[in-house]
Structures are given as C-alpha cells and as structure tokens.
Amino acid sequence: MLAGRLARRLSRHGLHYAWIVLAVAFALTVVSAGAMALPGALIVPLERQFGWSAEDISGAVAVRLLIYGAMAPFAASLIDRLGLRNVMLGAVALIAVGLAHSLWMNRVWQLTLLWGLLVGVGAGLTALVLGAVVATRWFTARRGLALGVLTAGSAAGQLIFLPLAAWLERGWGWRAALFPTLAGLAVAAALVALLMADRPADLGLAPFGESVVTPPPAATRGGELRTLAEIAGSGAFWILAATFFVCGLSTNGLIQTHFIALCSDFDVGSLTAASTLAAMGAFDMIGTIGSGWLSDRYDNRALLFVYYGLRGLSLIYLPGSSFSIYDLSLFAVFYGLDWVATVPPTARLAAQAFGRERAGTAFGWIYAAHMAGAATAAYGAGYSRSVLQTYLPALYAAGALCILAASLVWLIEKRSADASAPARARPIR
C-alpha cells in the first residue's frame, strides 16, 4: 500500500503522515466546495436561458443545502463503518455524476434532482464533518490548526472556481463553467485512492501529538441517533446549533448563493462580482487558518463573539453602500475574514462538550442546523428577489441575527480542555 510505504519513509525523516492525510482531505474539500459554489455564478445565466425565476433556482439550491446538511450526522457514521477513503471516493462519484448529467438538463425538476439531490448528497459526505473527523482522528496537537486548514478549503474552492466559472460562462455559456470542477474531481479522486488512510493505527502510527498507538473503537449502528438523544439535553448543543443556524443563513445560503445576482441588481458585472467573492475566499483562508490557530490558544466563545459581530455589521453595511469597487472591497475584507472562521471554535467547543468519540457525530448534528439555516436563506432571499424585487430585507435580517448569535455564545459553559484527549507527548513534526 502506497500510504504505508510513504508513512514509513516520512517517519524516518521525522514527519508525520497526518500532514499527507490533511493535504488530501484539503484537495477534496476545495473541489467539493467549488461544486457547491457554482450555482452562485449561474443563477442569472439560467434565468436568461430557460426563463426560470430566482425563486425556482433558489428552491433547487435550498434542496441541495438541506440534503447537504442532513447528511452531516450520518456522514460521521458512514465514515466509521465504511472508512474515510471509501466515503470520499463515493462522494466524488456522486458529485461528478450530478454535474456531468446537468449538461443536458432543461427542466427545473432536473436541476433539483442533479444539483439538489446528487450533488447535495455527495458534497454532504465531504462537508465540515469530514474535516472534523480527520482533525480529531489524526491530530491531538495542532487539531485546531488542522481543522482551520480544512475549513479554509471551502474558501479556496470559491477562490479558484467561481471567477473561472464566471469567465467561462461569459465566453462559452454556463455548461463550459462546469468542466474545471469535473476535472478537479478526477484529480481529487486519484489522490484519495492512492494516498488516503482511515486512521493512524492502520499505518502503525499514533495521532499527531501522541506516542501510543490506539486501536480504533468498534463501529456501532444507529450511533448518530443515539448520540443526538444523548446530547439533546445539553444547553451547549442547542446554543451551538442555533448560532450555527445563523452562520449558515448568513454565508452559504445568502452570500454564496445570491451575491452575484445581488450585484447584478446594482449593475455590477458577473465577473466583477465573482472576483469579489473570490477575494472573500482569499481573506477567508487567512481568517479561518488564523481562527484555527487562535482556537488552540484562546477562549473559543470570545472568538465566536467577535466573528458573528463583525459579520453582522458587514451585512448591515452592505445594503447602504454604493456597490462601488471600494465599497465591495471593504465588504470583502471584513466579511471574508470571518466567513467560516466560526468553524474551528465551534468544532472545538463541541469536542470539549461531548468528547472525542462523539465529536464527529455531535458536530454533524450541529452542522445540520447550519445547513438548515443556509437553505432557509437560499430560498427566502430568492423569494424576496422574485416577489419584492430586492434582496435588501434578507441582508438586514441576516445581519441582525448575526449580532444576536454573538450574544448567545456567552451562554455556553467554559471548559478548559478536551476531557477525552489522552496525555500528550512531544509530537513528531
């Protein structure tokens, strides 16, 4: 097995294979995020070609986001039963089939089936739960940093694929915009097949930051529902779920889905709007990786307070701006820095509250709330544009909810460490 040989070679040079696993998971996250972001660049072209309304297209996107989120708690159990490698390969196949077949679609129900169901299920298997599982299984030291890197993959996907999709659509039509993502999926599948390993113990390794090889626990059926029953009595769960609902509502559902169409309402070109989204992605990578580093060192509640507060203020600022290059750039910086910077502290708070073995599934349920919020905003903002002819009510509502979420995080009980983590040893680099 290539992974085993490479792990032994890296160990001789003082390097841990966890970093290879992190790189492969990052690559898949980038491409999956690119597939999820594509509708944001294609709402206006689909309206123009097929005569579909923003509400019609937003409905399909909302279905995708709901399925994407609903997969999260079950993805952790599927990973436990089938293994990281198999689940990742299955996810790539579903996304690729959904995108490839959409080249021939001409009905809204086909959009819902292909981009809603197939891409939703596939991307749901590679969602943030995958990052939480990889970070928890492979890292004890630097866990927050690892999760920050994987979370930044979502921003990197947007940074790479959205401007490219907008450029291709303008010159060759919306179908051409799908091909870079399909090519990226093929590359990601090859990396997963060749280099991915399920657990450190499979390669005779301890997690990064530990010295003892621990055999994996036996997979159990129905673990996701049992875990939900166990954590549902915790106030921390409901606060994290509620604030993450707002997180999804104000990111994936609103800005990622509707920003380009919003800009078109203010006579901003699609390529300029997509480039602004890409700039948000660039700042998001900085903010999210930095957030992972900070979450290893500071009170995660304070971090969430700052992130939600800044996001809320930026969303309230945007409707009153002139949508000039200066105003959009200012928004891109402040909004982009905390786009998904909320993920590392939220995942760490979940791990501290519910323990290592339940962390993946618990975070999955919390993430399901995130995507329920995203679906609410995706459809609600599209409905607002179709019926009220403006996105502005959705922007103001999202900003106010972010400020409310900033206040709620202080209700979570402070814990100093992950009680499930074993004693730490000096890590291999």
Side-chain angles (χ1 to χ4, degrees), residues 1-21 136-140 195-216 356 428-429:
M1 181 181 179
L2 180 60
R5 294 197 299 271
L6 182 57
R8 289 190 292 272
R9 180 170 295 182
L10 290 174
S11 293
R12 289 196 292 270
H13 292 85
L15 298 173
H16 199 289
Y17 196 75
W19 298 109
I20 300 296
V21 171
T136 302
R137 284 186 181 182
W138 283 87
F139 292 85
T140 297
L195 299 175
M196 198 64 194
D198 292 337
R199 295 176 182 270
D202 297 340
L203 303 180
L205 299 172
F208 179 80
E210 297 182 26
S211 58
V212 178
V213 178
T214 305
R356 171 181 287 178
I428 300 173
R429 295 195 313 262

Side-chain angles (χ1 to χ4, degrees), residues 36-44 47 53-62 64-65 158 162 248-266 268 273-274 277 280 318 323 331 335 339 373-386 390-392 394-395:
M36 286 290 289
L38 279 176
L42 303 180
I43 288 178
V44 174
E47 286 178 327
S53 70
E55 184 182 357
D56 291 332
I57 301 168
S58 298
V61 174
R64 182 199 62 182
L65 293 171
Q158 177 175 297
L162 263 183
L249 180 146
S250 56
T251 54
N252 304 69
L254 180 59
I255 295 299
Q256 186 180 70
T257 302
H258 292 288
F259 184 76
I260 294 176
L262 166 68
C263 287
S264 73
D265 292 344
F266 288 84
V268 178
L277 271 175
M280 292 182 209
L318 183 62
F323 280 79
F331 176 74
Y335 181 89
W339 183 310
T376 300
Y379 180 76
Y383 178 84
S384 176
R385 185 172 187 250
S386 294
T390 178
Y391 281 119
L392 300 191
L395 290 167

Side-chain angles (χ1 to χ4, degrees), residues 57-127:
I57 301 168
S58 298
V61 174
V63 168
R64 182 199 62 182
L65 293 171
L66 277 175
I67 293 174
Y68 179 79
M71 288 300 300
F74 301 96
S77 293
L78 283 173
I79 289 170
D80 283 341
R81 296 170 197 166
L82 303 179
L84 272 169
R85 182 175 175 272
N86 291 333
V87 169
M88 292 166 79
L89 288 174
V92 169
L94 286 169
I95 298 171
V97 168
L99 291 182
H101 280 76
S102 68
L103 294 170
W104 294 277
M105 70 180 179
N106 54 23
R107 298 286 188 275
V108 171
W109 70 264
Q110 295 168 335
L111 177 70
T112 303
L113 174 65
L114 297 171
W115 286 11
L117 180 60
L118 290 181
V119 175
V121 171
L125 293 174
T126 66

Side-chain angles (χ1 to χ4, degrees), residues 343-409:
V343 174
T346 300
R348 283 191 67 86
L349 286 169
Q352 291 168 10
F354 309 118
R356 171 181 287 178
E357 290 306 321
R358 293 191 299 177
T361 304
F363 184 69
W365 286 111
I366 294 167
Y367 190 66
H370 179 281
M371 299 315 296
T376 300
Y379 180 76
Y383 178 84
S384 176
R385 185 172 187 250
S386 294
V387 175
L388 304 177
Q389 302 299 307
T390 178
Y391 281 119
L392 300 191
L395 290 167
Y396 285 123
L401 287 171
C402 284
I403 292 174
L404 175 62
S407 302
L408 285 177
V409 297

Side-chain angles (χ1 to χ4, degrees), residues 301-326:
R301 302 171 305 165
L303 297 177
L304 290 177
F305 174 80
V306 172
Y307 300 155
Y308 282 120
L310 286 176
R311 185 187 301 171
L313 292 175
S314 67
L315 287 170
I316 292 170
Y317 158 81
L318 183 62
S321 73
S322 65
F323 280 79
S324 65
I325 294 298
Y326 173 80

